[in-house]
Amino acid sequence: MHPNNVGRCGHIANASYAISKSLRGLHIGELLVKDCLLQACATNFRILQFNAVVATNIHARHLYERLGFIQLGTIKGGFKIKDGHFEDICPYYREV
Ligand SMILES: CC(C)(COP(=O)(O)OP(=O)(O)OC[C@H]1O[C@@H](n2cnc3c(N)ncnc32)[C@H](O)[C@@H]1OP(=O)(O)O)[C@@H](O)C(=O)NCCC(=O)NCCS
């Protein structure tokens, strides 16, 4: 977790998560996001924002939506996949 921006937007945090393939779906990610919300609050961030959730990442989106994150539209073609094609991304945010 780290600041998503500086100055007057420095109270918005950003974070990234990755769970080993063999351990996904066991709600470890949920624990990480919930802990992140607590840490963000404790360190005076007011918002946790995810900038680049790939639209096809249904498990991540399901997790974030279940924890109350709000999707802010869709950025068409915002993410370049390794094979060179572009996927949409969905920014999400939540007050902590
Ligand atoms: C996104 C990620 C961090 C979530 O961690 P996780 O521990 O798998 O998440 P959770 O188990 O808390 O929640 C995932 C949800 O998808 C479901 N799910 C089903 N099959 C799944 C699978 N193969 N992998 C992941 N989630 C699965 C889970 O059951 C859960 O839904 P539920 O709440 O209805 O039970 C993890 O999947 C991951 O590391 N993905 C690759 C990296 C990535 O995409 N990071 C996020 C970038 S925005």
Side-chain angles (χ1 to χ4, degrees):
M1 186 182 75
H2 55 96
N4 191 54
N5 207 324
V6 294
R8 292 176 190 268
C9 294
H11 58 288
I12 302 179
N14 172 256
S16 305
Y17 314 99
I19 303 294
S20 294
K21 270 186 186 162
S22 61
L23 296 172
R24 289 179 194 166
L26 299 176
H27 293 170
I28 300 170
E30 177 182 341
L31 293 175
L32 282 179
V33 179
K34 283 182 171 171
D35 184 65
C36 209
L37 288 164
L38 290 175
Q39 299 295 334
C41 188
T43 50
N44 294 322
F45 286 109
R46 299 184 64 163
I47 293 165
L48 179 57
Q49 178 172 321
F50 304 137
N51 301 316
V53 184
V54 180
T56 52
N57 194 349
I58 52 169
H59 297 311
R61 293 181 63 189
H62 174 69
L63 170 61
Y64 302 151
E65 286 169 17
R66 193 159 55 73
L67 295 181
F69 285 79
I70 297 163
Q71 183 184 340
L72 287 172
T74 301
I75 301 170
K76 295 285 175 195
F79 195 90
K80 189 175 184 181
I81 304 291
K82 277 183 188 162
D83 69 5
H85 85 277
F86 293 89
E87 295 270 4
D88 298 344
I89 52 175
C90 311
Y92 280 87
Y93 84 100
R94 209 200 100 157
E95 290 180 40
V96 304

